[in-house]
């Protein structure tokens, strides 16, 4: 009975959900890294008025539940004339939320670079933006890799929240499978656990690879 939970039909259906989970994660990671880095630089540079506005937005969003943002993008935005399907709504909500988290990590990475680095660059004739681009940002990003990977691992796990808006990702599809037969619940939980572990452990290995490459 338990082995029948792993039938070809069920596995094929579940792997389709894993593909959606990975797609949401990859797209959200890319978008949040780009905007999070931009926001982190703005916060680090302390641009008058502009940085304070960004800080207010970041502090507001990062202290909201991610599920609330998912509900807002899927249920509330259509009331404003913006229709999003479950996949797009999830990516949008997660990208916005993760961008604010990434911005704090990037800002911390930049702050971890010694002031002597920027002072030395400025003394050689570089302007502030050249110093940021060529000296501070590469070192800041390197210092940010471990917390960034931890944040992205959390992002992968948080994709399961999209079951609330019926996104047919991996967790949702596992519920469909064991909903047909309660005896499939534990096998499905075990398999989903293993798949999440594989994906997130792969991210951890990728983090170590990046750190080694950057240390060369």
């Amino acid at each position: 009975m338990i082995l029948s939970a792993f039938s070809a039909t069920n596995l094929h259906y579940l792997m389709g959900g894993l593909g959606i989970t990975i797609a949401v994660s990859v797209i959200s990671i890319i978008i949040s890294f780009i905007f999070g880095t931009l926001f982190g630089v703005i916060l680090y540079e302390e641009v008058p008025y502009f940085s304070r506005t960004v800080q207010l937005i970041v502090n507001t969003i990062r202290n909201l539940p991610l599920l609330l943002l998912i509900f807002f993008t899927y249920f509330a935005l259509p009331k404003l004339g913006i229709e999003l399907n479950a996949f797009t709504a999830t990516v949008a909500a997660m990208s916005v939320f993760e961008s604010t988290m990434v911005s704090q990590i990037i800002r911390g990475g930049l702050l971890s670079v010694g002031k002597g680095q920027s002072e030395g660059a400025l003394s050689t004739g570089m302007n502030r933006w050249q110093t940021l681009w060529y000296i501070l940002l590469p070192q800041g990003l390197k210092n940010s890799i471990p917390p960034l990977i931890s944040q992205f691992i959390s992002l992968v796990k948080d994709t399961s929240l999209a079951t609330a808006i019926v996104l047919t990702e991996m967790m949702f599809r596992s519920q469909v499978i064991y909903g047909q037969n309660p005896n499939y619940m534990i096998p499905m939980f075990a398999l989903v656990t293993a798949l999440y572990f594989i994906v997130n452990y792969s991210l951890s290995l990728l983090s170590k690879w990046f750190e080694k490459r950057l240390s060369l």
Side-chain angles (χ1 to χ4, degrees), residues 32-48:
S32 63
F33 178 74
I34 293 171
F35 284 96
T37 300
L38 177 61
F39 296 154
V41 169
I42 292 172
L43 295 175
Y44 173 78
E45 286 296 319
E46 297 182 348
V47 182

Side-chain angles (χ1 to χ4, degrees), residues 7 38 42 46 97 147 152 154-155 174 191 199 201 203 208:
S7 67
L38 177 61
I42 292 172
E46 297 182 348
F97 182 79
F152 291 149
S154 294
L155 183 155
S174 72
L191 181 55
V199 172
Y201 186 66
L203 276 175
K208 293 178 181 178

Side-chain angles (χ1 to χ4, degrees), residues 44-45 113-139:
Y44 173 78
E45 286 296 319
V113 180
K115 289 185 178 181
Q117 298 283 331
S118 57
E119 292 173 353
L122 291 171
S123 67
T124 63
M126 286 186 176
N127 60 38
R128 187 170 181 83
W129 291 108
Q130 288 174 323
T131 300
L132 176 66
W133 183 257
Y134 293 109
I135 305 298
L136 300 181
L137 199 53
Q139 295 183 69

Side-chain angles (χ1 to χ4, degrees), residues 164-200:
I165 58 172
V166 200
L167 177 68
T168 57
E169 46 74 61
M170 183 167 59
M171 183 59 72
F172 179 88
R173 294 195 181 198
S174 72
Q175 292 174 347
V176 172
I177 293 171
Y178 68 69
Q180 298 172 355
N181 188 333
N183 292 321
Y184 293 170
M185 182 179 291
I186 292 178
M188 282 299 104
F189 279 163
L191 181 55
V192 168
T193 297
L195 292 173
Y196 273 122
F197 174 80
I198 291 170
V199 172
N200 289 326

